[in-house]
Amino acid sequence: MRKERWKEMAREAFADGIIEHNKAYSLRVFQQLTGMKAAAMRRARLNGLPVRRVGVHSFVLGSDWIKYLQEHGKIVGKDV
């Protein structure tokens, strides 16, 4: 039962796709949450998205992602 509840919580978190400014995300989890594939991640990194490494593990900070979106994201909708 405990294992099933954990899986359900994980599914809910991924379904929302929310990146919080005060959290660090492994590169794999970050890509799952944002839906970015490897090519899109390479492009984002080349455009300035910092990816931090600790040993062999790579991480993206939520605050870095929000800053990147503010600088590089397009505004869409009626207000454009």
Side-chain angles (χ1 to χ4, degrees), residues 17-76:
I18 296 173
I19 302 291
E20 297 184 39
H21 72 92
N22 60 341
K23 292 188 177 178
Y25 299 89
S26 70
L27 194 55
R28 183 178 60 84
V29 169
F30 179 80
Q31 285 182 267
Q32 289 174 336
L33 287 170
T34 61
M36 295 176 73
K37 304 290 185 212
M41 276 304 301
R42 277 192 298 276
R43 212 171 15 252
R45 292 172 78 175
L46 288 171
N47 286 330
L49 177 64
V51 175
R52 291 166 165 76
R53 289 213 173 128
V54 178
V56 296
H57 303 284
S58 298
F59 299 91
V60 176
L61 298 180
S63 57
D64 287 339
W65 172 243
I66 291 169
K67 183 178 177 185
Y68 179 83
L69 281 178
Q70 290 171 337
E71 293 173 1
H72 297 282
K74 286 184 180 180
I75 297 174
V76 296

Side-chain angles (χ1 to χ4, degrees), residues 9-19 33:
M9 290 171 56
R11 275 194 291 275
E12 289 171 6
F14 283 118
D16 290 340
I18 296 173
I19 302 291
L33 287 170

